[in-house]
């Protein structure tokens, strides 16, 4: 079966920043499961099903990547999947404290799963789903920031 890692997130919607992390994570692990969670502190634009659909299309050319969702705790999901690692991306310093909190909590809940961080590609260091949504809402061009399927889905939402 090989080494399995989970790349968790809200992915509301998936951006080129996420895809960069997913692609690089998939090079290191035998299998990478991208798992969509509902982050309680964010009110989502896309449903979990819509977010999964967009992720599936955006990762269709990555053979060792699959897409799933879970509504409970990340560490329980990791245990269930027998994952060895959680993969997260780091952008600016501002991400650090948040990630440190999540990682510390997750480690307290499940000592067996290790979290790995991948530094953002400079090109995407200021890219976030919330900024993409903000910009798309005012009909600005987001084609450099998200795949075509996501661009179209955003246009539909904000029409
Ligand atoms: N460049 C590099 N990395 C990026 C970029 C970019 N431009 N944009 C995003 N990323 C990274 C993020 O740093 C993150 O690692 C990943 O991509 C996903 O990002 P988001 O914003 O979609 O995901 P989050 O931060 O909302 O995900 C939060 C979780 C869903 C992981 C969290 O809420 C969670 O674990 N929920 C389940 C409940 C739980 O277990 N809670 C206890 C832990 S606190």
């Amino acid at each position: 079966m090989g080494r399995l890692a989970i790349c968790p997130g809200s992915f509301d919607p998936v951006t080129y920043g996420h895809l960069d992390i997913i692609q690089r994570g998939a090079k290191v692990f035998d299998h990478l499961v991208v798992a969509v969670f509902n982050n309680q502190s964010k009110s989502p634009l896309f449903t979990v099903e819509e977010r999964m659909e967009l992720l599936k299309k955006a990762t269709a050319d990555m053979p060792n990547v699959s897409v799933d969702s879970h509504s409970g705790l990340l560490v329980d999901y990791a245990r269930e999947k027998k994952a060895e690692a959680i993969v997260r991306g780091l952008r600016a310093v501002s991400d650090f404290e948040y990630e440190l909190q999540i990682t510390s909590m997750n480690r307290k809940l499940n000592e067996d799963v290790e979290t790995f961080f991948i530094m953002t590609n400079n090109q995407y260091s200021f890219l976030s789903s919330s900024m993409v949504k903000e910009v798309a809402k005012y009909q600005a061009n987001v084609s450099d920031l998200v795949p075509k399927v996501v661009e179209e889905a955003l246009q539909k939402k904000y029409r």
Side-chain angles (χ1 to χ4, degrees):
M1 170 88 219
R3 288 183 182 267
L4 187 140
I6 294 167
C7 184
S10 313
F11 305 106
D12 184 42
V14 58
T15 68
Y16 281 141
H18 294 135
L19 288 171
D20 182 56
I21 298 300
I22 293 168
Q23 211 154 31
R24 288 157 66 201
K27 277 191 196 157
V28 178
F29 293 94
D30 297 311
H31 194 91
L32 189 79
V33 181
V34 182
V36 179
F37 284 82
N38 257 332
N39 184 337
Q40 301 292 350
S41 61
K42 300 177 181 172
S43 40
L45 175 67
F46 292 98
T47 65
V48 169
E49 289 69 29
E50 287 170 331
R51 286 181 256 161
M52 284 178 71
E53 206 47 48
L54 293 172
L55 271 165
K56 279 182 189 160
K57 286 178 180 155
T59 59
D61 60 343
M62 304 179 199
N64 64 334
V65 173
S66 57
V67 179
D68 196 10
S69 70
H70 189 73
S71 52
L73 284 179
L74 170 58
V75 286
D76 290 339
Y77 180 74
R79 202 176 275 130
E80 185 188 304
K81 288 279 158 188
K82 298 190 170 49
E84 301 198 23
I86 293 169
V87 169
R88 298 279 290 169
L90 272 184
R91 282 164 297 186
V93 178
S94 52
D95 275 350
F96 183 83
E97 206 170 312
Y98 171 60
E99 295 295 339
L100 186 62
Q101 271 179 8
I102 298 187
T103 307
S104 312
M105 180 54 81
N106 286 343
R107 188 176 305 121
K108 200 172 138 62
L109 297 168
N110 177 356
E111 285 182 342
D112 297 333
V113 63
E114 203 57 66
T115 305
F116 288 81
F117 292 97
I118 299 180
M119 287 287 175
T120 185
N121 197 317
N122 286 351
Q123 202 181 342
Y124 305 125
S125 53
F126 297 103
L127 179 52
S128 67
S129 297
S130 42
M131 259 170 58
V132 166
K133 285 182 278 190
E134 177 81 18
V135 169
K137 199 169 163 180
Y138 299 103
Q139 272 75 45
N141 187 352
V142 292
S143 60
D144 291 348
L145 314 177
V146 296
K148 187 97 191 137
V149 280
V150 175
E151 192 185 345
E152 286 164 1
L154 281 163
Q155 280 163 358
K156 234 186 235 171
K157 283 275 178 197
Y158 289 123
R159 191 147 53 200

